[in-house]
PDB file of all heavy atoms in Angstrom:
ATOM      1  N   LEU R1510     -36.865  24.449  -1.663  1.00  0.00           N
ATOM      2  CA  LEU R1510     -37.437  24.441  -0.318  1.00  0.00           C
ATOM      3  C   LEU R1510     -36.348  24.213   0.731  1.00  0.00           C
ATOM      4  O   LEU R1510     -36.371  24.832   1.801  1.00  0.00           O
ATOM      5  CB  LEU R1510     -38.530  23.379  -0.196  1.00  0.00           C
ATOM      6  CG  LEU R1510     -39.871  23.730  -0.837  1.00  0.00           C
ATOM      7  CD1 LEU R1510     -40.805  22.520  -0.831  1.00  0.00           C
ATOM      8  CD2 LEU R1510     -40.526  24.912  -0.129  1.00  0.00           C
ATOM      9  N   GLU R1511     -35.392  23.348   0.429  1.00  0.00           N
ATOM     10  CA  GLU R1511     -34.276  23.119   1.354  1.00  0.00           C
ATOM     11  C   GLU R1511     -33.443  24.392   1.522  1.00  0.00           C
ATOM     12  O   GLU R1511     -33.027  24.714   2.626  1.00  0.00           O
ATOM     13  CB  GLU R1511     -33.392  21.963   0.868  1.00  0.00           C
ATOM     14  CG  GLU R1511     -34.022  20.608   1.005  1.00  0.00           C
ATOM     15  CD  GLU R1511     -34.195  20.147   2.444  1.00  0.00           C
ATOM     16  OE1 GLU R1511     -33.441  20.610   3.340  1.00  0.00           O
ATOM     17  OE2 GLU R1511     -35.089  19.329   2.687  1.00  0.00           O
ATOM     18  N   LYS R1512     -33.206  25.114   0.425  1.00  0.00           N
ATOM     19  CA  LYS R1512     -32.463  26.371   0.512  1.00  0.00           C
ATOM     20  C   LYS R1512     -33.227  27.387   1.360  1.00  0.00           C
ATOM     21  O   LYS R1512     -32.637  28.101   2.169  1.00  0.00           O
ATOM     22  CB  LYS R1512     -32.221  26.952  -0.884  1.00  0.00           C
ATOM     23  CG  LYS R1512     -31.177  26.232  -1.677  1.00  0.00           C
ATOM     24  CD  LYS R1512     -31.035  26.845  -3.061  1.00  0.00           C
ATOM     25  CE  LYS R1512     -30.133  26.020  -3.948  1.00  0.00           C
ATOM     26  NZ  LYS R1512     -30.079  26.544  -5.314  1.00  0.00           N
ATOM     27  N   ALA R1513     -34.533  27.446   1.168  1.00  0.00           N
ATOM     28  CA  ALA R1513     -35.360  28.375   1.938  1.00  0.00           C
ATOM     29  C   ALA R1513     -35.356  27.995   3.415  1.00  0.00           C
ATOM     30  O   ALA R1513     -35.289  28.873   4.291  1.00  0.00           O
ATOM     31  CB  ALA R1513     -36.787  28.397   1.386  1.00  0.00           C
ATOM     32  N   LEU R1514     -35.409  26.699   3.705  1.00  0.00           N
ATOM     33  CA  LEU R1514     -35.372  26.246   5.093  1.00  0.00           C
ATOM     34  C   LEU R1514     -34.026  26.593   5.732  1.00  0.00           C
ATOM     35  O   LEU R1514     -33.971  27.057   6.873  1.00  0.00           O
ATOM     36  CB  LEU R1514     -35.632  24.746   5.177  1.00  0.00           C
ATOM     37  CG  LEU R1514     -35.708  24.161   6.583  1.00  0.00           C
ATOM     38  CD1 LEU R1514     -36.860  24.779   7.370  1.00  0.00           C
ATOM     39  CD2 LEU R1514     -35.884  22.654   6.515  1.00  0.00           C
ATOM     40  N   LEU R1515     -32.955  26.401   5.006  1.00  0.00           N
ATOM     41  CA  LEU R1515     -31.624  26.759   5.501  1.00  0.00           C
ATOM     42  C   LEU R1515     -31.549  28.270   5.770  1.00  0.00           C
ATOM     43  O   LEU R1515     -30.969  28.701   6.769  1.00  0.00           O
ATOM     44  CB  LEU R1515     -30.557  26.337   4.496  1.00  0.00           C
ATOM     45  CG  LEU R1515     -29.110  26.587   4.893  1.00  0.00           C
ATOM     46  CD1 LEU R1515     -28.756  25.846   6.177  1.00  0.00           C
ATOM     47  CD2 LEU R1515     -28.180  26.150   3.767  1.00  0.00           C
ATOM     48  N   PHE R1516     -32.161  29.068   4.900  1.00  0.00           N
ATOM     49  CA  PHE R1516     -32.227  30.515   5.097  1.00  0.00           C
ATOM     50  C   PHE R1516     -32.932  30.840   6.419  1.00  0.00           C
ATOM     51  O   PHE R1516     -32.464  31.663   7.201  1.00  0.00           O
ATOM     52  CB  PHE R1516     -32.966  31.160   3.916  1.00  0.00           C
ATOM     53  CG  PHE R1516     -33.263  32.622   4.096  1.00  0.00           C
ATOM     54  CD1 PHE R1516     -32.307  33.581   3.785  1.00  0.00           C
ATOM     55  CD2 PHE R1516     -34.494  33.048   4.566  1.00  0.00           C
ATOM     56  CE1 PHE R1516     -32.582  34.927   3.943  1.00  0.00           C
ATOM     57  CE2 PHE R1516     -34.779  34.389   4.727  1.00  0.00           C
ATOM     58  CZ  PHE R1516     -33.810  35.336   4.421  1.00  0.00           C
ATOM     59  N   ILE R1517     -34.060  30.169   6.683  1.00  0.00           N
ATOM     60  CA  ILE R1517     -34.822  30.397   7.916  1.00  0.00           C
ATOM     61  C   ILE R1517     -33.959  30.063   9.134  1.00  0.00           C
ATOM     62  O   ILE R1517     -33.899  30.836  10.099  1.00  0.00           O
ATOM     63  CB  ILE R1517     -36.123  29.562   7.924  1.00  0.00           C
ATOM     64  CG1 ILE R1517     -37.087  30.090   6.863  1.00  0.00           C
ATOM     65  CG2 ILE R1517     -36.782  29.575   9.300  1.00  0.00           C
ATOM     66  CD1 ILE R1517     -38.279  29.174   6.606  1.00  0.00           C
ATOM     67  N   VAL R1518     -33.287  28.928   9.084  1.00  0.00           N
ATOM     68  CA  VAL R1518     -32.451  28.499  10.206  1.00  0.00           C
ATOM     69  C   VAL R1518     -31.334  29.505  10.453  1.00  0.00           C
ATOM     70  O   VAL R1518     -31.081  29.905  11.600  1.00  0.00           O
ATOM     71  CB  VAL R1518     -31.883  27.084   9.954  1.00  0.00           C
ATOM     72  CG1 VAL R1518     -30.826  26.716  10.979  1.00  0.00           C
ATOM     73  CG2 VAL R1518     -33.009  26.065   9.953  1.00  0.00           C
ATOM     74  N   ARG R1519     -30.675  29.933   9.403  1.00  0.00           N
ATOM     75  CA  ARG R1519     -29.574  30.900   9.559  1.00  0.00           C
ATOM     76  C   ARG R1519     -30.068  32.235  10.100  1.00  0.00           C
ATOM     77  O   ARG R1519     -29.434  32.830  10.972  1.00  0.00           O
ATOM     78  CB  ARG R1519     -28.867  31.106   8.223  1.00  0.00           C
ATOM     79  CG  ARG R1519     -27.998  29.952   7.835  1.00  0.00           C
ATOM     80  CD  ARG R1519     -27.288  30.216   6.536  1.00  0.00           C
ATOM     81  NE  ARG R1519     -26.435  29.101   6.181  1.00  0.00           N
ATOM     82  CZ  ARG R1519     -26.070  28.826   4.950  1.00  0.00           C
ATOM     83  NH1 ARG R1519     -26.471  29.580   3.953  1.00  0.00           N
ATOM     84  NH2 ARG R1519     -25.295  27.797   4.705  1.00  0.00           N
ATOM     85  N   GLU R1520     -31.179  32.723   9.580  1.00  0.00           N
ATOM     86  CA  GLU R1520     -31.727  33.995  10.063  1.00  0.00           C
ATOM     87  C   GLU R1520     -32.153  33.889  11.522  1.00  0.00           C
ATOM     88  O   GLU R1520     -31.957  34.813  12.302  1.00  0.00           O
ATOM     89  CB  GLU R1520     -32.905  34.438   9.195  1.00  0.00           C
ATOM     90  CG  GLU R1520     -32.507  34.928   7.817  1.00  0.00           C
ATOM     91  CD  GLU R1520     -31.627  36.163   7.859  1.00  0.00           C
ATOM     92  OE1 GLU R1520     -32.006  37.142   8.549  1.00  0.00           O
ATOM     93  OE2 GLU R1520     -30.566  36.161   7.212  1.00  0.00           O
ATOM     94  N   ARG R1521     -32.733  32.759  11.888  1.00  0.00           N
ATOM     95  CA  ARG R1521     -33.161  32.539  13.279  1.00  0.00           C
ATOM     96  C   ARG R1521     -31.940  32.528  14.198  1.00  0.00           C
ATOM     97  O   ARG R1521     -31.963  33.138  15.267  1.00  0.00           O
ATOM     98  CB  ARG R1521     -33.925  31.221  13.366  1.00  0.00           C
ATOM     99  CG  ARG R1521     -34.563  30.979  14.678  1.00  0.00           C
ATOM    100  CD  ARG R1521     -36.065  31.022  14.531  1.00  0.00           C
ATOM    101  NE  ARG R1521     -36.662  30.528  15.763  1.00  0.00           N
ATOM    102  CZ  ARG R1521     -37.479  31.227  16.488  1.00  0.00           C
ATOM    103  NH1 ARG R1521     -37.862  32.417  16.101  1.00  0.00           N
ATOM    104  NH2 ARG R1521     -37.980  30.735  17.591  1.00  0.00           N
ATOM    105  N   ARG R1523     -29.086  33.989  13.602  1.00  0.00           N
ATOM    106  CA  ARG R1523     -28.572  35.355  13.620  1.00  0.00           C
ATOM    107  C   ARG R1523     -29.375  36.217  14.592  1.00  0.00           C
ATOM    108  O   ARG R1523     -28.807  36.986  15.362  1.00  0.00           O
ATOM    109  CB  ARG R1523     -28.625  35.955  12.211  1.00  0.00           C
ATOM    110  CG  ARG R1523     -28.032  37.351  12.137  1.00  0.00           C
ATOM    111  CD  ARG R1523     -27.993  37.892  10.722  1.00  0.00           C
ATOM    112  NE  ARG R1523     -27.047  37.106   9.937  1.00  0.00           N
ATOM    113  CZ  ARG R1523     -27.330  36.545   8.766  1.00  0.00           C
ATOM    114  NH1 ARG R1523     -28.512  36.684   8.234  1.00  0.00           N
ATOM    115  NH2 ARG R1523     -26.425  35.851   8.111  1.00  0.00           N
ATOM    116  N   ARG R1545     -37.242  36.932  15.295  1.00  0.00           N
ATOM    117  CA  ARG R1545     -38.403  36.856  14.403  1.00  0.00           C
ATOM    118  C   ARG R1545     -38.986  35.456  14.467  1.00  0.00           C
ATOM    119  O   ARG R1545     -38.263  34.486  14.635  1.00  0.00           O
ATOM    120  CB  ARG R1545     -37.988  37.194  12.974  1.00  0.00           C
ATOM    121  CG  ARG R1545     -37.595  38.665  12.804  1.00  0.00           C
ATOM    122  CD  ARG R1545     -36.994  38.919  11.460  1.00  0.00           C
ATOM    123  NE  ARG R1545     -35.624  38.380  11.443  1.00  0.00           N
ATOM    124  CZ  ARG R1545     -34.814  38.437  10.400  1.00  0.00           C
ATOM    125  NH1 ARG R1545     -35.220  38.975   9.275  1.00  0.00           N
ATOM    126  NH2 ARG R1545     -33.594  37.940  10.464  1.00  0.00           N
ATOM    127  N   LEU R1550     -40.096  34.531   9.221  1.00  0.00           N
ATOM    128  CA  LEU R1550     -38.934  34.171   8.412  1.00  0.00           C
ATOM    129  C   LEU R1550     -39.341  33.338   7.202  1.00  0.00           C
ATOM    130  O   LEU R1550     -38.734  33.453   6.135  1.00  0.00           O
ATOM    131  CB  LEU R1550     -37.914  33.422   9.264  1.00  0.00           C
ATOM    132  CG  LEU R1550     -37.240  34.262  10.350  1.00  0.00           C
ATOM    133  CD1 LEU R1550     -36.399  33.391  11.267  1.00  0.00           C
ATOM    134  CD2 LEU R1550     -36.406  35.364   9.733  1.00  0.00           C
ATOM    135  N   ALA R1551     -40.385  32.518   7.347  1.00  0.00           N
ATOM    136  CA  ALA R1551     -40.866  31.724   6.215  1.00  0.00           C
ATOM    137  C   ALA R1551     -41.430  32.635   5.125  1.00  0.00           C
ATOM    138  O   ALA R1551     -41.218  32.382   3.937  1.00  0.00           O
ATOM    139  CB  ALA R1551     -41.922  30.724   6.681  1.00  0.00           C
ATOM    140  N   LEU R1553     -40.458  35.705   4.563  1.00  0.00           N
ATOM    141  CA  LEU R1553     -39.283  36.341   3.980  1.00  0.00           C
ATOM    142  C   LEU R1553     -38.579  35.385   3.016  1.00  0.00           C
ATOM    143  O   LEU R1553     -38.206  35.765   1.901  1.00  0.00           O
ATOM    144  CB  LEU R1553     -38.335  36.784   5.103  1.00  0.00           C
ATOM    145  CG  LEU R1553     -37.115  37.585   4.707  1.00  0.00           C
ATOM    146  CD1 LEU R1553     -37.513  38.892   4.031  1.00  0.00           C
ATOM    147  CD2 LEU R1553     -36.257  37.863   5.928  1.00  0.00           C
ATOM    148  N   ALA R1554     -38.428  34.126   3.418  1.00  0.00           N
ATOM    149  CA  ALA R1554     -37.787  33.119   2.557  1.00  0.00           C
ATOM    150  C   ALA R1554     -38.618  32.846   1.307  1.00  0.00           C
ATOM    151  O   ALA R1554     -38.070  32.650   0.225  1.00  0.00           O
ATOM    152  CB  ALA R1554     -37.569  31.816   3.338  1.00  0.00           C
ATOM    153  N   ALA R1555     -39.946  32.844   1.464  1.00  0.00           N
ATOM    154  CA  ALA R1555     -40.815  32.602   0.309  1.00  0.00           C
ATOM    155  C   ALA R1555     -40.609  33.677  -0.752  1.00  0.00           C
ATOM    156  O   ALA R1555     -40.615  33.385  -1.947  1.00  0.00           O
ATOM    157  CB  ALA R1555     -42.279  32.554   0.747  1.00  0.00           C
ATOM    158  N   GLU R1557     -37.789  36.008  -0.846  1.00  0.00           N
ATOM    159  CA  GLU R1557     -36.390  36.192  -1.237  1.00  0.00           C
ATOM    160  C   GLU R1557     -35.748  34.950  -1.865  1.00  0.00           C
ATOM    161  O   GLU R1557     -34.954  35.078  -2.786  1.00  0.00           O
ATOM    162  CB  GLU R1557     -35.566  36.637  -0.033  1.00  0.00           C
ATOM    163  CG  GLU R1557     -35.903  38.046   0.407  1.00  0.00           C
ATOM    164  CD  GLU R1557     -34.951  38.575   1.464  1.00  0.00           C
ATOM    165  OE1 GLU R1557     -33.875  37.988   1.666  1.00  0.00           O
ATOM    166  OE2 GLU R1557     -35.305  39.592   2.088  1.00  0.00           O
ATOM    167  N   ILE R1558     -36.072  33.768  -1.360  1.00  0.00           N
ATOM    168  CA  ILE R1558     -35.408  32.556  -1.841  1.00  0.00           C
ATOM    169  C   ILE R1558     -36.243  31.862  -2.922  1.00  0.00           C
ATOM    170  O   ILE R1558     -35.727  31.459  -3.948  1.00  0.00           O
ATOM    171  CB  ILE R1558     -35.131  31.568  -0.686  1.00  0.00           C
ATOM    172  CG1 ILE R1558     -34.345  32.243   0.443  1.00  0.00           C
ATOM    173  CG2 ILE R1558     -34.413  30.325  -1.198  1.00  0.00           C
ATOM    174  CD1 ILE R1558     -33.005  32.802   0.041  1.00  0.00           C
TER     175      ILE R1558
END
Side-chain angles (χ1 to χ4, degrees):
L1510 284 172
E1511 288 291 335
K1512 286 178 188 175
L1514 184 62
L1515 183 60
F1516 172 84
I1517 292 169
V1518 170
R1519 286 182 179 155
E1520 288 297 309
R1521 188 113 169 121
R1523 183 176 293 128
R1545 292 171 285 180
L1550 292 172
L1553 186 61
E1557 291 189 15
I1558 306 301

